[in-house]
Each structure stands twice: as C-alpha cells, then as structure tokens.
Amino acid sequence: SREHAMLSCKPAGEERVGDRLAVVYTTSRSTAESKADSRLWIDKASGLLLRQEEDLSAGENNTVHRSVRFEYGNVVAPKLPD
C-alpha cells in the first residue's frame, strides 16, 4: 500500500518552541488502510527537530494522537581517532 500512498509536505509558517524560532511544516500520508497528519517544528538556526504532533488513524475507531518534544543539551560530536 505504501507504493500507492498519497504524500505531501508544506511549510506552515514560523512559531516559537520555548526560546527557539522554528519553521513549521505540515505533512500528510494516506494509504488505503491508514492516514497520518503531522506538524513538525524545525529549529531555524540549527535545523534540529524540536517538536512533532501526529494524528494516526487506521479504520473508523482506531485513532492515536502523539506529541513529542525534543530537547538537546550538552550534545557534542564524538572524538574521531587521529
């Protein structure tokens, strides 16, 4: 069913997540069996995902709402061998 899925991703403006300015995108995926609508908040300065809201549905009475917030702190790249 993924082969025939309808997909979209569109910019939806800018919003603050805490003290960070984020670009908001809306996404939609629809197959014969399921539908997923999401909003993604991408940090404008770093490009990191800050927040995600998603509504998933499969059938008439099977719907899930998921909300995730990402916080980054003390993140450093691993030291590579010389």
Side-chain angles (χ1 to χ4, degrees):
S1 66
R2 289 182 183 177
E3 187 175 316
H4 301 289
M6 300 293 291
L7 306 168
S8 71
C9 179
K10 300 175 185 173
E14 295 180 352
E15 292 181 18
R16 289 215 169 267
V17 177
D19 64 345
R20 309 296 299 181
L21 183 59
V23 178
V24 182
Y25 292 91
T26 59
T27 68
S28 181
R29 182 192 68 215
S30 182
T31 69
E33 295 84 26
S34 65
K35 182 172 174 46
D37 293 310
S38 299
R39 287 177 57 90
L40 305 167
W41 287 259
I42 308 294
D43 187 309
K44 197 166 182 178
S46 69
L48 294 172
L49 178 61
L50 298 175
R51 182 175 165 195
Q52 179 179 4
E53 299 276 337
E54 187 170 40
D55 291 309
L56 308 164
S57 61
E60 286 184 35
N61 298 317
N62 191 10
T63 301
V64 174
H65 176 78
R66 180 171 46 187
S67 177
V68 181
R69 177 153 177 193
F70 300 88
E71 295 186 16
Y72 304 90
N74 297 324
V75 178
V76 294
K79 183 172 173 115
L80 299 175
D82 294 328

